[in-house]
Amino acid sequence: MAHRIITQVIIVGSRVLGRAFAEAWRQAAASQKYAQQAAKSGPGAINNLASSGLTLDEACKILNVKPPQGGKANMEDVMERFKKLFDVNDPGKGGSFYLQSKVLRARERIEMEVRQAAETAAREAELKQGWKPKLYKDR
């Protein structure tokens, strides 16, 4: 009797693990297809969803600001819209935590895009000028 129970537990366990593995495989294949399609759409497109899970277009629509042009954005306008929307959606004042979170992530995404563009521009400027290491004297 005990061997039947053990056998059934092993069979059910292997089914569960098999289904979980198959589902994980399907999700990985789908995300790979998405990444390939995003790579075809333009350079750097794989990083579109970078840490926040929002694209730059979504972030700009949420905050109702223009997308950064050439890596430069009117950050005062972005911060003004962010503060207004963040305060309006405060859960303590009857707002939505979900919307407040989306507003925060949108601001972070735009800031990240501007920061990356500034870093790229700084690297390119350094390459044009030539590498000049910063030397510090021992104190």
Side-chain angles (χ1 to χ4, degrees):
M1 184 72 171
H3 66 281
R4 285 184 182 174
I5 294 173
I6 292 172
T7 305
Q8 286 178 342
V9 168
I10 291 172
I11 291 173
V12 170
S14 63
R15 281 184 186 170
V16 169
L17 288 175
R19 287 180 184 160
F21 181 75
E23 183 63 28
W25 186 270
R26 277 188 229 117
Q27 287 180 359
S31 67
Q32 182 181 16
K33 286 179 185 177
Y34 175 76
Q36 288 173 347
Q37 188 177 20
K40 289 179 185 176
S41 67
I46 293 175
N47 200 19
N48 268 350
L49 295 176
S51 65
S52 66
L54 290 175
T55 64
L56 183 60
D57 290 336
E58 288 174 328
C60 291
K61 286 178 184 177
I62 289 170
L63 292 178
N64 195 23
V65 294
K66 293 180 182 177
Q69 300 297 325
K72 296 180 181 179
N74 185 356
M75 290 309 290
E76 292 176 2
D77 191 32
V78 170
M79 286 306 293
E80 179 184 321
R81 297 288 302 156
F82 163 74
K83 287 178 183 177
K84 180 182 178 198
L85 292 172
F86 193 81
D87 290 340
V88 166
N89 290 303
D90 185 15
K93 298 177 184 175
S96 168
F97 177 75
Y98 174 76
L99 292 177
Q100 192 180 42
S101 175
K102 282 291 191 182
V103 168
L104 177 68
R105 297 295 173 235
R107 183 202 60 161
E108 289 175 347
R109 178 68 170 105
I110 292 172
E111 286 177 346
M112 181 181 67
E113 191 73 26
V114 169
R115 185 174 50 249
Q116 285 178 348
E119 289 172 0
T120 303
R123 263 188 257 116
E124 288 176 3
E126 184 177 333
L127 287 174
K128 284 181 182 177
Q129 294 175 355
W131 186 62
K132 296 178 184 173
K134 297 177 183 174
L135 301 176
Y136 298 98
K137 294 183 180 180
D138 291 331
R139 296 178 188 193

